[in-house]
Amino acid sequence: MPEKKLNDLFYDMLKDIYFAERQILKSLPKLAKAAHSEELRNAFLKHRDETEGQVERLQQIFEMLGKRAQGKTCEAINGILEEGQEIIEEYKGSEALDAGLLAGGQAVEHYEMARYGTLKNWATQLGMADAANLLDETLQEEKKTDALLTQLAQSEVNRKAA
Ligand code: FE
Ligand code: FE
Ligand code: FE
């Protein structure tokens, strides 16, 4: 078996996050629809639009590698999104629903932040400065979204759930 290198790892993880982003794109409208708070609904919808741009950035990076954009099943994101779906079903009509949705949203953003942080560093190590910049743009969006969700969690939404 030929030795696998950092560029193989980079390509594999790119496929992982590409799969994840497309699952997230499908999931965000469901989270928005379920949210009671208008602020939370708007936050999910805004991030849905950002996510479309994130998918495009990943496609640009596949192109830089001369590869077709393709996803590889990420069981981690499937599990996180499934938990969100469970909350929607189990807390339907409850004042605590939004607090649960916020927690689910934050788990998604943290997974993404971990992946984009790693991918950005690997891109730099591999001498792919343009890819590193694109990955950093997305990383900043994920961080901003996480911060917004934290802010919402600390204010209105959780007070109502108490
Ligand atoms: Fe994302
Ligand atoms: Fe994964
Ligand atoms: Fe995100």
Side-chain angles (χ1 to χ4, degrees):
M1 221 171 90
E3 194 198 334
K4 290 222 178 202
K5 303 222 165 69
L6 186 63
N7 59 333
D8 297 305
L9 206 49
F10 180 77
Y11 181 46
D12 276 340
M13 198 170 283
L14 208 59
K15 290 190 277 191
D16 177 272
I17 195 68
Y18 188 62
F19 174 90
E21 290 288 14
R22 286 184 307 164
Q23 294 303 111
I24 293 164
L25 197 54
K26 284 191 265 179
S27 203
L28 281 167
K30 294 180 197 166
L31 295 172
K33 194 173 166 222
H36 289 156
S37 144
E38 199 182 328
E39 267 180 300
L40 180 56
R41 183 165 52 247
N42 288 339
F44 283 141
L45 289 176
K46 177 175 174 251
H47 197 49
R48 197 218 77 94
D49 291 347
E50 278 177 346
T51 300
E52 279 190 339
Q54 296 177 352
V55 167
E56 280 168 24
R57 284 188 199 116
L58 291 173
Q59 288 166 344
Q60 285 182 55
I61 298 172
F62 279 111
E63 221 176 285
M64 289 172 183
L65 294 172
K67 309 255 194 200
R68 186 172 63 87
Q70 62 174 46
K72 178 169 181 269
T73 304
C74 169
E75 296 299 356
I77 204 69
N78 280 345
I80 291 170
L81 293 174
E82 221 165 273
E83 278 186 1
Q85 196 54 45
E86 274 172 29
I87 287 167
I88 292 175
E89 283 157 27
E90 291 170 18
Y91 287 84
K92 197 189 280 175
S94 160
E95 288 279 7
L97 174 67
D98 280 7
L101 295 177
L102 275 161
Q106 289 199 280
V108 170
E109 297 316 310
H110 281 238
Y111 180 75
E112 295 182 295
M113 281 154 56
R115 283 294 178 251
Y116 282 108
T118 296
L119 280 165
K120 178 193 156 186
N121 287 336
W122 287 350
T124 302
Q125 284 175 45
L126 291 165
M128 301 177 63
D130 291 344
N133 284 337
L134 288 170
L135 292 162
D136 186 60
E137 277 179 48
T138 297
L139 177 60
Q140 298 314 317
E141 286 175 356
E142 311 296 23
K143 283 185 180 172
K144 224 184 267 173
T145 303
D146 179 54
L148 175 61
L149 294 177
T150 300
Q151 190 196 313
L152 288 176
Q154 286 165 351
S155 62
E156 197 66 12
V157 176
N158 273 12
R159 220 171 317 146
K160 271 195 196 143

Coordinates of all heavy atoms in Angstrom, one line a residue, residues 13 18 23 42-43 52 55 62 67 71 75 77 80 82 91 93 104 111-112 114 130 132 138 144 147:
M13 N -10.5 15.1 4.3 CA -11.2 15.9 5.3 C -12.1 17.0 4.5 O -13.1 17.4 5.0 CB -10.3 16.6 6.3 CG -11.1 17.1 7.5 SD -10.1 17.6 8.9 CE -9.6 16.0 9.6
Y18 N -17.4 18.8 3.1 CA -18.3 19.0 2.0 C -19.6 18.3 2.2 O -20.7 18.8 2.0 CB -17.6 18.6 0.7 CG -18.4 19.0 -0.6 CD1 -18.6 20.4 -0.9 CD2 -18.9 18.1 -1.4 CE1 -19.3 20.7 -2.0 CE2 -19.5 18.4 -2.6 CZ -19.7 19.8 -2.9 OH -20.4 20.1 -4.0
Q23 N -25.4 18.6 4.3 CA -26.4 18.1 5.2 C -26.9 19.3 6.1 O -28.1 19.4 6.4 CB -25.8 17.1 6.2 CG -25.4 15.8 5.5 CD -26.6 15.1 4.8 OE1 -26.6 15.1 3.5 NE2 -27.5 14.7 5.5
N42 N -34.3 33.9 12.5 CA -33.5 34.7 11.6 C -32.0 34.3 11.6 O -31.4 34.3 10.5 CB -33.6 36.2 11.9 CG -35.0 36.7 11.6 OD1 -35.7 36.1 10.7 ND2 -35.4 37.8 12.2
A43 N -31.5 34.0 12.7 CA -30.1 33.6 12.8 C -29.9 32.3 12.0 O -28.9 32.2 11.2 CB -29.7 33.3 14.3
E52 N -24.5 28.4 1.9 CA -24.5 28.2 0.4 C -23.1 28.7 -0.1 O -22.5 28.1 -1.0 CB -25.6 29.0 -0.3 CG -26.9 28.3 -0.3 CD -28.0 29.0 -1.1 OE1 -27.8 30.2 -1.4 OE2 -28.9 28.3 -1.5
V55 N -20.3 26.2 0.8 CA -20.3 25.1 -0.2 C -19.5 25.5 -1.4 O -18.7 24.8 -1.9 CB -21.7 24.6 -0.5 CG1 -21.7 23.7 -1.7 CG2 -22.3 23.9 0.7
F62 N -11.8 22.2 -4.3 CA -11.7 21.0 -5.1 C -11.1 21.3 -6.4 O -10.3 20.6 -7.0 CB -13.1 20.3 -5.2 CG -13.5 19.5 -4.0 CD1 -14.5 20.0 -3.2 CD2 -12.9 18.3 -3.7 CE1 -15.0 19.2 -2.1 CE2 -13.3 17.6 -2.6 CZ -14.3 18.0 -1.8
K67 N -9.7 18.3 -8.7 CA -10.6 17.1 -8.4 C -12.0 17.5 -8.4 O -12.4 18.7 -8.2 CB -10.3 16.6 -6.9 CG -8.8 16.4 -6.6 CD -8.5 14.9 -6.6 CE -7.2 14.7 -5.9 NZ -6.6 13.4 -6.2
G71 N -18.6 14.4 -1.7 CA -18.6 14.3 -0.3 C -18.3 12.9 0.2 O -18.3 11.9 -0.6
E75 N -20.3 10.6 9.7 CA -21.3 10.1 10.7 C -21.4 11.1 11.9 O -22.4 11.1 12.6 CB -20.9 8.7 11.2 CG -20.9 7.6 10.2 CD -22.3 7.4 9.5 OE1 -23.3 8.0 10.0 OE2 -22.4 6.6 8.6
I77 N -21.5 14.4 11.8 CA -22.5 15.5 11.6 C -23.9 14.8 11.5 O -24.8 15.4 11.9 CB -22.2 16.4 10.3 CG1 -22.9 17.7 10.4 CG2 -22.6 15.7 9.0 CD1 -22.3 18.6 11.5
I80 N -25.0 14.6 15.0 CA -25.3 15.9 15.6 C -26.6 16.4 15.1 O -27.5 16.9 15.9 CB -24.2 16.9 15.4 CG1 -22.9 16.5 16.1 CG2 -24.6 18.3 15.7 CD1 -21.6 17.3 15.8
E82 N -29.0 14.6 13.9 CA -30.1 13.7 14.4 C -30.5 14.1 15.8 O -31.7 14.1 16.1 CB -29.6 12.3 14.4 CG -30.5 11.3 13.9 CD -29.8 10.0 13.7 OE1 -29.3 9.8 12.5 OE2 -29.7 9.1 14.6
Y91 N -39.5 18.2 22.0 CA -39.8 19.4 22.8 C -40.8 20.3 22.0 O -40.9 21.5 22.2 CB -38.5 20.2 23.1 CG -37.8 19.5 24.2 CD1 -36.9 18.5 24.0 CD2 -38.0 19.9 25.6 CE1 -36.3 17.8 25.0 CE2 -37.4 19.2 26.6 CZ -36.5 18.2 26.3 OH -35.9 17.5 27.3
G93 N -43.7 22.4 21.1 CA -44.7 23.1 22.0 C -44.2 23.5 23.3 O -44.8 24.1 24.1
G104 N -28.2 22.6 19.9 CA -27.9 21.8 18.7 C -27.1 22.6 17.7 O -26.2 22.1 17.1
Y111 N -18.4 21.6 15.6 CA -17.8 20.6 14.7 C -17.1 21.3 13.5 O -16.0 21.0 13.1 CB -18.9 19.6 14.2 CG -18.3 18.6 13.3 CD1 -17.5 17.6 13.8 CD2 -18.4 18.7 11.9 CE1 -16.9 16.6 13.0 CE2 -17.8 17.7 11.1 CZ -17.1 16.7 11.6 OH -16.5 15.8 10.8
E112 N -17.8 22.3 12.9 CA -17.3 23.0 11.7 C -16.0 23.8 12.1 O -15.1 23.8 11.3 CB -18.3 23.9 11.2 CG -19.6 23.2 10.6 CD -20.5 24.2 10.0 OE1 -21.1 25.0 10.8 OE2 -20.7 24.2 8.8
A114 N -13.8 23.1 14.3 CA -12.7 22.1 14.5 C -12.2 21.7 13.1 O -11.0 21.8 12.8 CB -13.2 20.9 15.2
D130 N -4.1 30.2 -1.1 CA -5.4 30.6 -1.6 C -6.5 29.8 -0.9 O -7.5 30.3 -0.5 CB -5.6 30.6 -3.1 CG -4.7 31.6 -3.8 OD1 -4.3 32.5 -3.1 OD2 -4.5 31.5 -5.0
A132 N -6.1 28.3 1.9 CA -6.1 28.6 3.4 C -7.0 29.9 3.6 O -7.7 30.0 4.6 CB -4.7 28.8 3.8
T138 N -14.5 31.0 5.8 CA -15.6 30.2 6.4 C -15.4 30.0 7.9 O -16.4 30.1 8.6 CB -15.6 28.8 5.7 OG1 -15.9 29.1 4.3 CG2 -16.7 27.9 6.2
K144 N -18.5 33.4 14.1 CA -19.4 34.5 14.3 C -20.8 33.9 14.6 O -21.5 34.4 15.5 CB -19.5 35.4 13.0 CG -19.5 36.9 13.4 CD -19.7 37.7 12.1 CE -18.3 38.1 11.5 NZ -18.4 38.8 10.2
A147 N -20.9 32.7 18.1 CA -20.9 33.8 19.1 C -22.4 34.3 19.2 O -22.8 34.6 20.2 CB -19.9 34.9 18.7

